[in-house]
Amino acid sequence: MDYPREALRFSAPEEAATLDDTVCITPIRQEQLQERLGERFRELDVPLLVEWPDGRRGALVFAVEEESDSRRFSIHRLAHYCLDLAELLGTDRIVPVVIFLRGGHYQQTLKLGGDHHSYMEFSYLICDLPALSSEAYWTSDNVVARLNLPNMRYAPADRVEVYAHAVQGLFGLEPDPEKQLKYLDFIDIYVGMSEHELEEYGRRYPEEVKRVSSFAERFTEQGLRQGLQQGLQQGVRQGVQQGLQIGEAKVLLRQIDRKYGAQLAAAYRERIESADAETLLLWSDRILSAERIEDLFH
């Protein structure tokens, strides 16, 4: 979702080859799909609408699905989803793409027919990450490919190298500090280096280690300062609100004491002290005309 153009160029290169820099790529709002697609709709489905502003080509819809476990993939469900999507959007320009995170066995084509003819054939574009050679993408200028280096195929001995190229790609291709921090965590999680490998990374890439460390420290400090400032502001607002509420409750209790007596003030103290500010103001207005204390709280 952060990199739709790069994601399509990586996972569906043949179809995305014609997507130049003029196309507009937008996620189709999931709320619009859920009612029609019903229970078969899943949040992991990401329909991306590709439009050419000059209208020289009809819009394309990429139905991208991510599968962490290939055993849970259903080609029948995907076909049903694409048919519903085509009907809903009034187009037959649908490109189904499935990204398999851990590979495995999965059905690649679907044919429906009888003894003499096939009446429906369905297939989809496959992006099987563990089947891709990580080394082939070490210097890719596609940020999605570089971030997914840890999810591709590589020898355990190359883990440090994979991590280094992924981090270099992140800092070289993504200028936004917030996204850098976000996807630095992504790389760390999927690489999962041991203490020994981290030490080796530090020896082989000392400058990168300094860069990553200083960036993380600087961004963390900035986040702490912002969080502290927001917390203080929120605390002040809450403190002021609570102070006003306590003051209003005390004023109302004093009015009740003077008008109805200390015994009734004590009887209603808990209810008054637990009331919100708006209710206290309402009761304070009513006490001016209420003859009985019961009229105050009706």
Side-chain angles (χ1 to χ4, degrees):
M1 297 300 288
D2 282 338
Y3 309 106
R5 191 183 306 271
E6 292 84 354
L8 292 179
R9 287 175 176 169
F10 171 66
S11 61
E14 184 178 358
E15 290 287 350
T18 58
L19 306 184
D20 55 33
D21 293 336
T22 65
V23 299
C24 179
I25 304 176
T26 53
I28 302 173
R29 289 182 61 84
Q30 294 181 347
E31 293 85 349
Q32 295 174 350
L33 302 175
Q34 205 155 9
E35 182 178 353
R36 281 289 298 277
L37 301 182
E39 295 180 357
R40 293 181 179 85
F41 173 78
R42 302 182 309 148
E43 290 187 1
L44 289 180
D45 297 321
V46 182
L48 297 173
L49 177 65
V50 179
E51 298 175 293
W52 281 260
D54 58 9
R56 69 180 185 274
R57 294 183 61 189
L60 268 175
V61 178
F62 285 81
V64 183
E65 176 178 322
E66 182 270 335
E67 283 289 351
S68 298
D69 185 350
S70 61
R71 294 173 299 179
R72 303 173 68 177
F73 170 70
S74 167
I75 193 171
H76 296 81
R77 183 186 62 227
L78 179 62
H80 199 299
Y81 175 78
C82 289
L83 289 172
D84 282 345
L85 193 61
E87 181 184 9
L88 177 68
L89 300 177
T91 180
D92 57 2
R93 288 173 59 79
I94 306 288
V95 180
V97 183
V98 181
I99 301 171
F100 291 98
L101 182 62
R102 296 187 178 89
H105 299 286
Y106 40 84
Q107 187 175 348
Q108 299 185 19
T109 59
L110 174 65
K111 290 185 178 182
L112 303 181
D115 293 334
H116 302 285
H117 300 285
S118 293
Y119 298 102
M120 178 180 174
E121 296 187 7
F122 177 79
S123 61
Y124 56 95
L125 293 178
I126 299 170
C127 182
D128 192 335
L129 292 176
L132 300 176
S133 169
S134 177
E135 187 173 359
Y137 293 90
W138 278 3
T139 59
S140 172
D141 61 356
N142 187 319
V143 66
V144 171
R146 296 289 282 272
L147 292 176
N148 276 286
L149 290 179
N151 294 319
M152 300 179 193
R153 187 184 74 254
Y154 61 88
D158 292 332
R159 184 172 286 110
V160 173
E161 198 76 20
V162 168
Y163 181 80
H165 282 91
V167 171
Q168 290 167 2
L170 171 62
F171 283 99
L173 299 170
E174 176 52 74
D176 185 345
E178 291 191 7
K179 288 184 180 178
Q180 288 177 351
L181 187 65
K182 172 182 178 180
Y183 288 109
L184 190 59
D185 284 342
F186 176 91
I187 295 170
D188 285 338
I189 290 170
Y190 282 104
V191 172
M193 290 202 296
S194 65
E195 290 295 328
H196 173 73
E197 289 168 333
L198 287 171
E199 292 174 1
E200 183 182 349
Y201 175 70
R203 289 192 299 269
R204 293 171 58 181
Y205 300 94
E207 295 302 319
E208 289 292 330
V209 171
K210 291 180 182 178
R211 182 181 183 183
V212 171
S213 299
S214 62
F215 164 77
E217 290 174 2
R218 183 173 66 253
F219 207 79
T220 300
E221 290 175 359
Q222 179 182 346
L224 287 173
R225 287 196 299 270
Q226 292 177 346
L228 179 60
Q229 183 177 359
Q230 292 173 356
L232 287 172
Q233 291 173 348
Q234 182 178 358
V236 168
R237 288 195 297 269
Q238 291 178 344
V240 170
Q241 182 69 21
Q242 291 173 357
L244 290 173
Q245 188 172 343
I246 292 172
E248 290 166 358
K250 287 183 176 180
V251 170
L252 181 59
L253 285 169
R254 183 178 301 174
Q255 290 175 313
I256 293 175
D257 185 5
R258 292 183 177 179
K259 187 169 184 177
Y260 304 109
Q263 187 175 357
L264 287 177
Y268 285 93
R269 177 180 296 277
E270 183 177 352
R271 182 175 182 181
I272 291 171
E273 290 180 344
S274 62
D276 57 41
E278 185 177 350
T279 302
L280 290 171
L281 286 175
L282 175 63
W283 290 344
S284 296
D285 288 339
R286 285 180 179 173
I287 198 171
L288 300 176
S289 57
E291 295 183 1
R292 302 177 306 155
I293 194 169
E294 290 79 3
D295 297 333
L296 191 64
F297 303 106
H298 73 275

